[in-house]
Amino acid sequence: MTMQSLRPFLVFSLSLLLLLVLPHFLHARSLNSNKTVPALIVFGDSIVDPGNNNVLTTAIRCDFPPYGRDFIQHKPTGRFCNGRIPSDMIASKLGIKEILPAYFDRNLTPEDLLTGVSFASGGSGYDSLTPKIVSVFSLSDQLKFFKEYKEKLKTIAGEERAAYIVSDSIYIVIIGSDDLANTYFSTPFRRSQYDIPSYVNLLVDSASKFYQELYGLGARKIGVVGLPPIGCVPSQRTLAGGLTRECVDSYNQAAIDVNAKLSQEVQRLQAQLTGSKIIYVDIYTTLYNLIQRPSDHGFEVTTKGCCGTGTVEVTLLCNRLSPNTCQDVSKYVFWDSYHPTEKAYEVIVEDVANNYLYLLF
């Protein structure tokens, strides 16, 4: 066969290769370009709280060892993890910065504000009662801080650039687990008023109001992260999983119900709010698969955390005196009895980046 006769085949092969590779290349570039995304702004609970609760008088805090054991300089910062948390990893994936600071970080700089912060508060929720029970910042508080943040942006960068940062930044919201695990299933306050379907409606109605207000404040690109399988979290296994500490199916089903309605509401808001890109992000499936098939990612322990016995230790109970804290945290899906390890978060965030983040561009 001559080179002349091969030419059409080679052109076709090259074209096919470009069609297959180019979209992934463009996504990779967009997820690593701080020119495309000026800032990452985060709201939520302990999954993405990098230390805002440090300024509060609350038991929901972790600014002490062994938290931060694998963070920069082995320093406990108020992150509910042994190392980095999802907000840090997403900021890095977007090419913005390696660590997303807390809004109340005492070392916050003007440059930190320009490239984004986290307003999240460990123990918060969509239900207004949830943060009150544990004395932390509510979503309403977090929106109030965001309004302050917008004014600070104007002072630092001027009105035009501040407006650009607000409208073109990516917003991530991770919240809702504490509503089910801590408010509904662990206290009598809501169960006397609501059955599970009506409580799910309460959460989704509250979520919808929050996202509409966030949109009204200028946010346009919003990632709404669903609830994880809370019935498989070590502390919930201990409290409600029986002697064998099995996953609590009713808790997981409640999370699935919230996710289904939240996803529908996000689609409705996307269609209703002009110029918005609001997407629902599923993390339930990824974390559940990690728990059910840990060896696929090099994990061994899924039913307890690394800290202490791993069955109840979280926040104040996970401290430098906790006995039997594991040596090799890389084997564990969970760091304490409620929060995943840095390694587990890396797997989850990689899935989020591959399947969802590019939809916000």
Side-chain angles (χ1 to χ4, degrees), residues 111-250:
E111 181 60 29
D112 288 326
L113 290 171
L114 291 174
T115 51
V117 294
S118 172
F119 299 99
S121 180
S124 195
Y126 285 122
D127 182 352
S128 60
L129 178 61
T130 299
K132 289 179 182 177
I133 292 172
V134 289
S135 302
V136 299
F137 294 128
S138 66
L139 276 180
S140 294
D141 292 328
Q142 293 179 41
L143 281 177
K144 180 182 73 175
F145 302 144
F146 178 58
K147 293 174 187 176
E148 294 176 0
Y149 166 81
K150 288 176 61 180
E151 293 305 311
K152 291 178 182 179
L153 280 184
K154 291 178 186 177
T155 302
I156 296 168
E159 290 210 14
E160 185 175 343
R161 189 180 175 198
Y164 162 70
I165 292 171
V166 170
S167 64
D168 279 50
S169 292
I170 283 181
Y171 296 75
I172 301 292
V173 186
I174 303 180
I175 200 165
S177 299
D178 293 312
D179 293 318
L180 293 180
N182 297 334
T183 301
Y184 190 81
F185 289 117
S186 297
T187 72
F189 305 124
R190 289 306 195 195
R191 276 181 294 161
S192 62
Q193 300 172 290
Y194 301 92
D195 59 11
I196 290 177
S198 59
Y199 190 65
V200 168
N201 289 337
L202 171 73
L203 297 183
V204 174
D205 287 347
S206 177
S208 182
K209 291 173 184 175
F210 170 78
Y211 293 113
Q212 290 178 71
E213 187 167 355
L214 186 58
Y215 172 85
L217 292 171
R220 292 296 179 267
K221 304 173 181 178
I222 307 171
V224 179
V225 180
L227 275 59
I230 61 166
C232 294
V233 169
S235 63
Q236 305 309 302
R237 289 175 181 263
T238 301
L239 292 171
L243 293 176
T244 56
R245 300 183 62 252
E246 300 296 326
C247 288
V248 188
D249 290 339
S250 59

Side-chain angles (χ1 to χ4, degrees), residues 68-79:
R69 189 174 85 175
D70 302 298
F71 193 68
I72 300 167
Q73 298 179 342
H74 311 290
K75 181 181 178 182
T77 58
R79 287 170 170 82

Side-chain angles (χ1 to χ4, degrees), residues 279-294:
I279 65 167
Y280 171 77
V281 178
D282 170 40
I283 61 167
Y284 184 103
T285 303
T286 306
L287 182 53
Y288 188 77
N289 288 341
L290 273 184
I291 293 166
Q292 297 301 314
R293 297 192 294 275

